[in-house]
Amino acid sequence: EKSFGGAVMYDPLAAMIAVDPSRSRAERMGIRVEAGNKQRGRSVPKEGGIRVVTEIDREYYLEEFLMCLMAVLEKVICHE
């Protein structure tokens, strides 16, 4: 089994936006989680609270992600 020698990235888009938020738009809103009905577990926005990303430059973030992924794969393949 190969190891990439680092932490697992559960949400690479969130990490990329944290590093470079210039290609995203966010709004402040609260989040509540539905409980006890058909939509149980669904996140529902409400006013207040936290910064929630509502728009991204998909092409930019996809290209950046793929470039990073290729760099990691190249490093792993070249060190076999």
Coordinates of all heavy atoms in Angstrom, one line a residue:
E1 N 0.8 -1.2 0.0 CA 0.0 0.0 0.0 C 0.9 1.2 0.0 O 1.8 1.4 0.8 CB -0.9 0.0 1.2 CG -1.8 1.2 1.3 CD -2.8 1.0 2.5 OE1 -3.3 -0.1 2.7 OE2 -2.9 2.0 3.2
K2 N 0.6 2.2 -0.9 CA 1.4 3.4 -1.0 C 0.9 4.4 0.1 O -0.3 4.5 0.4 CB 1.2 4.0 -2.4 CG 1.8 3.2 -3.5 CD 3.0 3.9 -4.0 CE 3.5 3.1 -5.1 NZ 4.9 3.0 -5.1
S3 N 1.8 5.2 0.5 CA 1.5 6.3 1.5 C 2.0 7.6 0.8 O 3.0 7.7 0.2 CB 2.3 6.1 2.8 OG 2.2 7.2 3.6
F4 N 1.2 8.6 1.0 CA 1.5 9.9 0.5 C 2.3 10.7 1.5 O 2.6 11.9 1.3 CB 0.3 10.7 0.0 CG -0.4 10.0 -1.2 CD1 -1.6 9.4 -1.1 CD2 0.3 10.1 -2.4 CE1 -2.2 8.8 -2.2 CE2 -0.3 9.5 -3.5 CZ -1.5 8.8 -3.4
G5 N 2.5 10.2 2.7 CA 3.3 10.8 3.7 C 2.7 12.1 4.3 O 3.4 13.0 4.6
G6 N 1.4 12.2 4.3 CA 0.7 13.4 4.8 C -0.7 13.1 5.3 O -1.1 11.9 5.4
A7 N -1.4 14.1 5.7 CA -2.7 14.0 6.2 C -3.7 13.7 5.0 O -3.5 14.1 3.9 CB -3.1 15.3 6.9
V8 N -4.8 13.1 5.4 CA -5.9 12.8 4.4 C -6.6 14.1 4.2 O -6.9 14.9 5.2 CB -6.8 11.7 5.0 CG1 -8.0 11.6 4.1 CG2 -6.1 10.4 5.2
M9 N -6.9 14.4 3.0 CA -7.7 15.6 2.7 C -9.1 15.3 2.4 O -9.5 14.8 1.3 CB -7.1 16.3 1.4 CG -5.7 16.9 1.6 SD -5.7 18.2 2.8 CE -6.7 19.4 2.0
Y10 N -10.0 15.5 3.4 CA -11.4 15.2 3.3 C -12.1 16.2 2.4 O -13.1 15.9 1.8 CB -12.1 15.1 4.6 CG -11.6 13.9 5.4 CD1 -10.7 14.0 6.4 CD2 -12.0 12.6 5.0 CE1 -10.2 12.9 7.1 CE2 -11.5 11.5 5.7 CZ -10.6 11.7 6.7 OH -10.2 10.6 7.4
D11 N -11.7 17.5 2.4 CA -12.3 18.5 1.6 C -11.3 19.4 1.0 O -11.0 20.5 1.5 CB -13.3 19.3 2.5 CG -14.3 20.1 1.7 OD1 -14.0 20.4 0.5 OD2 -15.3 20.5 2.2
P12 N -10.7 19.0 -0.1 CA -9.6 19.8 -0.7 C -10.1 21.2 -1.2 O -9.4 22.2 -1.1 CB -9.1 19.0 -1.9 CG -10.1 17.9 -2.1 CD -10.9 17.7 -0.8
L13 N -11.4 21.3 -1.6 CA -11.9 22.6 -2.0 C -11.9 23.6 -0.9 O -11.5 24.7 -1.0 CB -13.3 22.5 -2.6 CG -13.9 23.8 -3.1 CD1 -13.1 24.5 -4.1 CD2 -15.3 23.6 -3.6
A14 N -12.4 23.1 0.3 CA -12.4 24.0 1.5 C -11.0 24.5 1.8 O -10.7 25.6 2.1 CB -13.0 23.3 2.7
A15 N -10.0 23.6 1.7 CA -8.6 23.9 2.0 C -8.1 24.9 1.0 O -7.4 25.9 1.3 CB -7.7 22.7 2.0
M16 N -8.4 24.7 -0.3 CA -8.0 25.7 -1.3 C -8.6 27.0 -1.2 O -7.9 28.1 -1.4 CB -8.3 25.1 -2.7 CG -7.5 23.8 -3.1 SD -8.1 23.0 -4.6 CE -7.6 24.3 -5.8
I17 N -9.9 27.1 -0.8 CA -10.5 28.4 -0.6 C -9.9 29.1 0.7 O -9.7 30.3 0.7 CB -12.0 28.2 -0.4 CG1 -12.6 27.8 -1.7 CG2 -12.7 29.5 0.1 CD1 -14.1 27.4 -1.7
A18 N -9.5 28.3 1.7 CA -8.9 28.9 2.9 C -7.5 29.5 2.5 O -7.2 30.6 3.0 CB -8.7 27.8 3.9
V19 N -6.8 28.9 1.6 CA -5.5 29.4 1.1 C -5.7 30.6 0.2 O -5.0 31.6 0.2 CB -4.7 28.3 0.4 CG1 -3.5 28.9 -0.2 CG2 -4.3 27.2 1.5
D20 N -6.7 30.5 -0.8 CA -6.9 31.6 -1.8 C -8.4 31.8 -1.9 O -9.0 31.3 -2.8 CB -6.3 31.2 -3.1 CG -6.5 32.2 -4.2 OD1 -6.9 33.3 -3.9 OD2 -6.1 32.0 -5.3
P21 N -9.0 32.7 -1.1 CA -10.4 32.9 -1.2 C -10.8 33.9 -2.3 O -12.0 34.2 -2.5 CB -10.7 33.5 0.2 CG -9.4 34.2 0.7 CD -8.3 33.3 0.1
S22 N -9.8 34.5 -3.0 CA -10.1 35.5 -4.0 C -11.0 35.0 -5.1 O -11.6 35.9 -5.8 CB -8.8 36.0 -4.6 OG -8.1 35.1 -5.3
R23 N -11.1 33.8 -5.3 CA -11.9 33.2 -6.5 C -13.2 32.6 -5.9 O -13.7 31.7 -6.6 CB -11.1 32.2 -7.2 CG -9.8 32.6 -7.8 CD -10.0 33.5 -9.0 NE -8.7 33.9 -9.6 CZ -8.3 33.5 -10.8 NH1 -9.1 32.8 -11.6 NH2 -7.2 34.0 -11.3
S24 N -13.6 33.1 -4.8 CA -14.9 32.6 -4.2 C -15.7 33.8 -3.6 O -15.1 34.9 -3.4 CB -14.6 31.6 -3.1 OG -14.0 32.1 -2.0
R25 N -16.9 33.6 -3.4 CA -17.8 34.6 -2.8 C -18.5 33.9 -1.6 O -18.9 32.8 -1.7 CB -18.9 35.1 -3.8 CG -19.8 36.1 -3.1 CD -20.8 36.7 -4.1 NE -20.0 37.4 -5.1 CZ -20.5 37.8 -6.3 NH1 -21.8 37.5 -6.6 NH2 -19.8 38.5 -7.1
A26 N -18.5 34.7 -0.5 CA -19.1 34.1 0.7 C -20.1 35.1 1.3 O -20.0 36.3 1.1 CB -18.0 33.8 1.7
E27 N -21.0 34.6 2.1 CA -22.0 35.4 2.8 C -21.9 34.9 4.3 O -21.7 33.8 4.6 CB -23.4 35.1 2.3 CG -23.5 35.6 0.8 CD -24.9 35.2 0.3 OE1 -25.9 35.1 1.1 OE2 -25.1 35.1 -0.9
R28 N -22.3 35.8 5.2 CA -22.4 35.5 6.6 C -23.8 34.9 6.8 O -24.8 35.5 6.4 CB -22.2 36.7 7.4 CG -20.7 37.0 7.6 CD -20.5 37.8 8.9 NE -19.4 37.5 9.7 CZ -18.7 36.4 10.0 NH1 -19.0 35.3 9.4 NH2 -17.7 36.4 10.8
M29 N -23.9 33.8 7.4 CA -25.2 33.2 7.7 C -25.0 32.2 8.8 O -23.9 31.6 9.0 CB -25.8 32.6 6.4 CG -25.1 31.4 5.8 SD -26.0 30.7 4.4 CE -25.8 31.9 3.1
G30 N -26.1 31.9 9.4 CA -26.1 30.9 10.4 C -26.5 29.6 9.7 O -27.1 29.6 8.6
I31 N -26.3 28.5 10.3 CA -26.7 27.2 9.8 C -27.4 26.4 10.9 O -26.9 26.4 12.0 CB -25.4 26.4 9.3 CG1 -24.7 27.1 8.2 CG2 -25.8 25.0 8.9 CD1 -25.4 27.2 6.9
R32 N -28.5 25.9 10.5 CA -29.2 25.0 11.5 C -29.4 23.7 10.8 O -29.4 23.6 9.5 CB -30.5 25.6 12.0 CG -31.6 25.7 10.9 CD -32.8 26.3 11.6 NE -33.8 26.6 10.6 CZ -34.6 25.7 10.0 NH1 -34.6 24.4 10.4 NH2 -35.5 26.0 9.1
V33 N -29.4 22.6 11.5 CA -29.6 21.3 10.9 C -31.0 20.8 11.2 O -31.4 20.8 12.4 CB -28.5 20.3 11.5 CG1 -28.8 18.9 10.9 CG2 -27.1 20.8 11.2
E34 N -31.7 20.4 10.2 CA -33.1 19.9 10.3 C -33.0 18.6 11.2 O -32.1 17.8 11.0 CB -33.7 19.5 9.0 CG -34.0 20.7 8.1 CD -35.2 21.5 8.6 OE1 -36.0 20.9 9.4 OE2 -35.4 22.7 8.2
A35 N -34.0 18.5 12.0 CA -34.1 17.3 12.9 C -35.6 16.8 13.0 O -36.4 17.7 13.1 CB -33.5 17.5 14.3
G36 N -35.8 15.6 12.9 CA -37.1 15.1 13.2 C -38.1 15.2 12.1 O -39.3 15.1 12.3
N37 N -37.7 15.4 10.8 CA -38.7 15.4 9.7 C -38.0 14.7 8.5 O -37.0 14.1 8.6 CB -39.1 16.8 9.4 CG -38.0 17.7 8.9 OD1 -37.0 17.2 8.4 ND2 -38.2 19.0 9.2
K38 N -38.7 14.8 7.4 CA -38.2 14.1 6.2 C -36.8 14.6 5.7 O -36.1 13.9 5.1 CB -39.2 14.3 5.0 CG -40.5 13.6 5.1 CD -41.4 13.8 3.9 CE -42.7 13.1 4.0 NZ -43.5 13.3 2.9
Q39 N -36.5 15.8 6.1 CA -35.2 16.4 5.7 C -34.2 16.3 6.8 O -33.2 17.1 6.8 CB -35.4 17.8 5.2 CG -36.5 17.9 4.2 CD -36.0 18.7 2.9 OE1 -35.0 19.3 2.9 NE2 -36.8 18.6 1.9
R40 N -34.3 15.4 7.7 CA -33.4 15.3 8.8 C -31.9 15.2 8.4 O -31.6 14.5 7.5 CB -33.7 14.0 9.6 CG -32.9 13.8 10.8 CD -33.3 12.5 11.5 NE -32.5 12.4 12.7 CZ -33.0 12.1 13.9 NH1 -34.3 11.9 14.0 NH2 -32.2 12.1 14.9
G41 N -31.1 16.1 9.0 CA -29.7 16.1 8.7 C -29.3 17.2 7.7 O -28.2 17.4 7.5
R42 N -30.3 17.7 7.0 CA -30.1 18.8 6.0 C -29.7 20.1 6.7 O -30.3 20.5 7.6 CB -31.4 19.0 5.2 CG -31.2 20.0 4.1 CD -32.5 20.1 3.3 NE -32.4 21.2 2.4 CZ -33.2 22.2 2.3 NH1 -34.3 22.2 3.0 NH2 -33.0 23.2 1.4
S43 N -28.6 20.7 6.1 CA -28.2 22.0 6.6 C -29.0 23.1 6.0 O -29.2 23.1 4.7 CB -26.7 22.3 6.2 OG -25.9 21.3 6.8
V44 N -29.6 24.0 6.8 CA -30.5 25.0 6.3 C -29.9 26.4 6.7 O -29.6 26.6 7.9 CB -31.9 24.8 6.9 CG1 -32.8 25.9 6.4 CG2 -32.4 23.5 6.6
P45 N -29.7 27.3 5.8 CA -29.1 28.6 6.1 C -30.1 29.4 6.9 O -31.3 29.3 6.7 CB -28.8 29.2 4.8 CG -29.6 28.5 3.8 CD -29.9 27.2 4.3
K46 N -29.6 30.3 7.8 CA -30.4 31.3 8.5 C -29.5 32.5 8.7 O -28.2 32.4 8.6 CB -31.0 30.8 9.8 CG -29.9 30.4 10.8 CD -30.6 29.9 12.1 CE -29.5 29.6 13.1 NZ -30.1 29.2 14.4
E47 N -30.0 33.6 9.0 CA -29.2 34.9 9.2 C -28.2 34.8 10.4 O -28.5 34.1 11.3 CB -30.1 36.1 9.3 CG -30.7 36.5 8.1 CD -31.4 37.8 8.3 OE1 -30.9 38.7 9.0 OE2 -32.5 38.0 7.7
G48 N -27.1 35.5 10.2 CA -26.2 35.6 11.3 C -24.9 34.8 11.1 O -24.6 34.5 10.0
G49 N -24.2 34.5 12.1 CA -23.2 33.5 12.3 C -21.9 33.4 11.5 O -21.0 34.2 11.7
I50 N -21.8 32.5 10.6 CA -20.5 32.1 10.0 C -20.4 32.5 8.5 O -21.4 32.7 7.9 CB -20.3 30.6 10.2 CG1 -21.3 29.8 9.4 CG2 -20.2 30.2 11.7 CD1 -21.0 28.3 9.4
R51 N -19.2 32.4 8.0 CA -19.0 32.7 6.6 C -19.2 31.4 5.8 O -18.5 30.4 6.0 CB -17.5 33.2 6.4 CG -17.1 33.6 5.1 CD -15.7 34.2 5.1 NE -15.2 34.3 3.8 CZ -14.5 33.5 3.1 NH1 -14.2 32.3 3.6 NH2 -14.1 33.7 1.9
V52 N -20.1 31.5 4.9 CA -20.5 30.3 4.0 C -20.2 30.6 2.6 O -20.7 31.6 2.1 CB -22.0 29.9 4.2 CG1 -22.3 28.8 3.3 CG2 -22.3 29.6 5.7
V53 N -19.4 29.8 1.9 CA -19.1 30.0 0.5 C -20.3 29.7 -0.3 O -20.8 28.6 -0.2 CB -17.8 29.2 0.1 CG1 -17.6 29.3 -1.4 CG2 -16.6 29.6 0.9
T54 N -20.7 30.6 -1.1 CA -21.9 30.5 -2.0 C -21.6 30.4 -3.5 O -22.4 29.9 -4.2 CB -22.9 31.6 -1.7 OG1 -22.2 32.9 -2.0 CG2 -23.4 31.6 -0.3
E55 N -20.4 30.8 -3.9 CA -20.0 30.8 -5.3 C -18.5 30.5 -5.4 O -17.7 31.0 -4.5 CB -20.3 32.1 -6.0 CG -21.8 32.4 -6.2 CD -22.0 33.7 -6.9 OE1 -21.2 34.0 -7.9 OE2 -22.9 34.4 -6.5
I56 N -18.1 29.8 -6.4 CA -16.6 29.6 -6.6 C -16.3 29.7 -8.1 O -17.2 29.6 -8.9 CB -16.2 28.2 -6.1 CG1 -16.9 27.1 -6.9 CG2 -16.3 28.1 -4.6 CD1 -16.3 25.7 -6.7
D57 N -15.1 29.9 -8.4 CA -14.6 29.9 -9.8 C -14.2 28.4 -10.1 O -13.1 28.0 -9.8 CB -13.4 30.8 -10.0 CG -12.8 30.9 -11.4 OD1 -13.1 29.9 -12.2 OD2 -12.1 31.8 -11.7
R58 N -15.1 27.7 -10.5 CA -14.9 26.2 -10.7 C -13.7 25.9 -11.5 O -13.0 25.0 -11.2 CB -16.2 25.5 -11.3 CG -17.3 25.5 -10.4 CD -18.6 24.9 -11.1 NE -19.7 25.1 -10.2 CZ -20.8 24.4 -10.2 NH1 -20.8 23.4 -11.1 NH2 -21.8 24.6 -9.4
E59 N -13.6 26.5 -12.7 CA -12.5 26.2 -13.6 C -11.1 26.4 -12.9 O -10.2 25.6 -13.0 CB -12.5 27.0 -14.8 CG -13.7 26.6 -15.7 CD -13.7 27.4 -17.0 OE1 -12.7 28.0 -17.4 OE2 -14.8 27.4 -17.6
Y60 N -11.0 27.6 -12.2 CA -9.8 27.9 -11.4 C -9.4 26.8 -10.4 O -8.3 26.3 -10.4 CB -9.9 29.3 -10.8 CG -8.7 29.6 -9.9 CD1 -7.5 30.0 -10.4 CD2 -8.9 29.5 -8.5 CE1 -6.4 30.3 -9.5 CE2 -7.8 29.8 -7.6 CZ -6.6 30.1 -8.1 OH -5.6 30.4 -7.3
Y61 N -10.4 26.5 -9.5 CA -10.1 25.6 -8.4 C -9.9 24.2 -9.0 O -9.1 23.5 -8.4 CB -11.2 25.6 -7.4 CG -11.2 26.9 -6.5 CD1 -12.2 27.8 -6.5 CD2 -10.1 27.1 -5.7 CE1 -12.1 29.0 -5.7 CE2 -10.0 28.2 -4.9 CZ -11.0 29.2 -4.9 OH -10.9 30.3 -4.1
L62 N -10.6 23.8 -10.0 CA -10.4 22.5 -10.6 C -9.0 22.4 -11.2 O -8.3 21.4 -10.9 CB -11.4 22.1 -11.6 CG -11.3 20.8 -12.3 CD1 -11.4 19.6 -11.3 CD2 -12.4 20.6 -13.4
E63 N -8.6 23.4 -11.9 CA -7.2 23.4 -12.5 C -6.2 23.3 -11.4 O -5.2 22.6 -11.5 CB -7.1 24.6 -13.4 CG -5.7 24.6 -14.1 CD -5.6 25.8 -15.0 OE1 -6.6 26.2 -15.6 OE2 -4.5 26.3 -15.1
E64 N -6.3 24.1 -10.4 CA -5.4 24.1 -9.3 C -5.3 22.8 -8.6 O -4.2 22.3 -8.2 CB -5.7 25.2 -8.2 CG -5.5 26.6 -8.8 CD -4.0 26.9 -9.0 OE1 -3.2 26.7 -8.1 OE2 -3.7 27.4 -10.1
F65 N -6.5 22.2 -8.3 CA -6.6 20.9 -7.7 C -5.9 19.8 -8.5 O -5.1 19.0 -8.0 CB -8.0 20.5 -7.4 CG -8.1 19.1 -6.9 CD1 -7.8 18.8 -5.6 CD2 -8.6 18.1 -7.7 CE1 -7.9 17.5 -5.1 CE2 -8.7 16.8 -7.2 CZ -8.4 16.5 -5.9
L66 N -6.1 19.8 -9.8 CA -5.5 18.8 -10.7 C -4.0 19.0 -10.8 O -3.3 18.0 -10.8 CB -6.2 18.8 -12.1 CG -7.6 18.4 -12.1 CD1 -8.2 18.5 -13.5 CD2 -7.8 16.9 -11.6
M67 N -3.5 20.2 -10.8 CA -2.1 20.5 -10.8 C -1.4 19.9 -9.5 O -0.4 19.3 -9.6 CB -1.8 22.0 -11.0 CG -2.0 22.4 -12.4 SD -1.8 24.2 -12.8 CE -0.8 24.8 -11.5
C68 N -2.1 20.2 -8.4 CA -1.5 19.7 -7.1 C -1.6 18.1 -7.1 O -0.6 17.5 -6.6 CB -2.4 20.2 -5.9 SG -2.1 22.0 -5.6
L69 N -2.7 17.6 -7.5 CA -2.8 16.1 -7.6 C -1.7 15.5 -8.5 O -1.1 14.5 -8.1 CB -4.2 15.7 -8.1 CG -4.5 14.2 -8.1 CD1 -4.4 13.6 -6.7 CD2 -5.9 14.0 -8.6
M70 N -1.5 16.1 -9.6 CA -0.5 15.6 -10.6 C 0.9 15.7 -9.9 O 1.8 14.8 -10.1 CB -0.5 16.3 -11.9 CG -1.8 16.1 -12.7 SD -2.0 14.3 -13.1 CE -0.6 14.1 -14.2
A71 N 1.2 16.8 -9.2 CA 2.5 16.9 -8.5 C 2.7 15.8 -7.5 O 3.8 15.3 -7.4 CB 2.6 18.3 -7.9
V72 N 1.7 15.5 -6.7 CA 1.8 14.5 -5.7 C 2.0 13.1 -6.4 O 2.8 12.3 -6.0 CB 0.5 14.5 -4.8 CG1 0.5 13.2 -3.9 CG2 0.5 15.7 -4.0
L73 N 1.2 12.8 -7.4 CA 1.3 11.6 -8.1 C 2.7 11.4 -8.8 O 3.3 10.3 -8.7 CB 0.2 11.4 -9.1 CG -1.2 11.2 -8.6 CD1 -2.2 11.2 -9.7 CD2 -1.3 10.0 -7.7
E74 N 3.2 12.5 -9.4 CA 4.5 12.4 -10.0 C 5.6 12.1 -8.9 O 6.5 11.3 -9.2 CB 4.8 13.8 -10.6 CG 6.1 13.8 -11.4 CD 6.4 15.1 -12.1 OE1 5.4 15.6 -12.8 OE2 7.5 15.7 -11.9
K75 N 5.4 12.7 -7.8 CA 6.4 12.5 -6.7 C 6.4 11.1 -6.2 O 7.4 10.4 -6.0 CB 6.1 13.4 -5.5 CG 7.1 13.4 -4.4 CD 6.8 14.4 -3.3 CE 7.8 14.4 -2.2 NZ 7.6 15.3 -1.2
V76 N 5.2 10.5 -6.1 CA 5.0 9.1 -5.6 C 5.5 8.2 -6.7 O 6.3 7.2 -6.4 CB 3.5 8.8 -5.4 CG1 3.3 7.3 -5.2 CG2 3.1 9.6 -4.1
I77 N 5.2 8.4 -8.0 CA 5.6 7.5 -9.1 C 7.2 7.6 -9.2 O 7.8 6.6 -9.4 CB 4.9 7.9 -10.4 CG1 3.4 7.5 -10.2 CG2 5.5 7.2 -11.6 CD1 2.6 8.0 -11.3
C78 N 7.7 8.7 -9.2 CA 9.2 8.9 -9.3 C 10.0 8.3 -8.2 O 11.2 8.1 -8.4 CB 9.5 10.4 -9.6 SG 8.9 11.0 -11.1
H79 N 9.4 8.1 -7.1 CA 10.1 7.5 -5.9 C 9.8 6.1 -5.7 O 10.0 5.6 -4.6 CB 9.8 8.4 -4.7 CG 10.4 9.7 -4.7 ND1 9.8 10.8 -5.2 CD2 11.7 10.1 -4.3 CE1 10.6 11.9 -5.1 NE2 11.7 11.5 -4.6
E80 N 9.4 5.4 -6.7 CA 9.1 3.9 -6.6 C 10.4 3.2 -6.5 O 11.4 3.5 -7.1 CB 8.3 3.4 -7.7 CG 6.8 3.8 -7.6 CD 5.9 3.2 -8.6 OE1 6.4 2.7 -9.7 OE2 4.7 3.1 -8.4

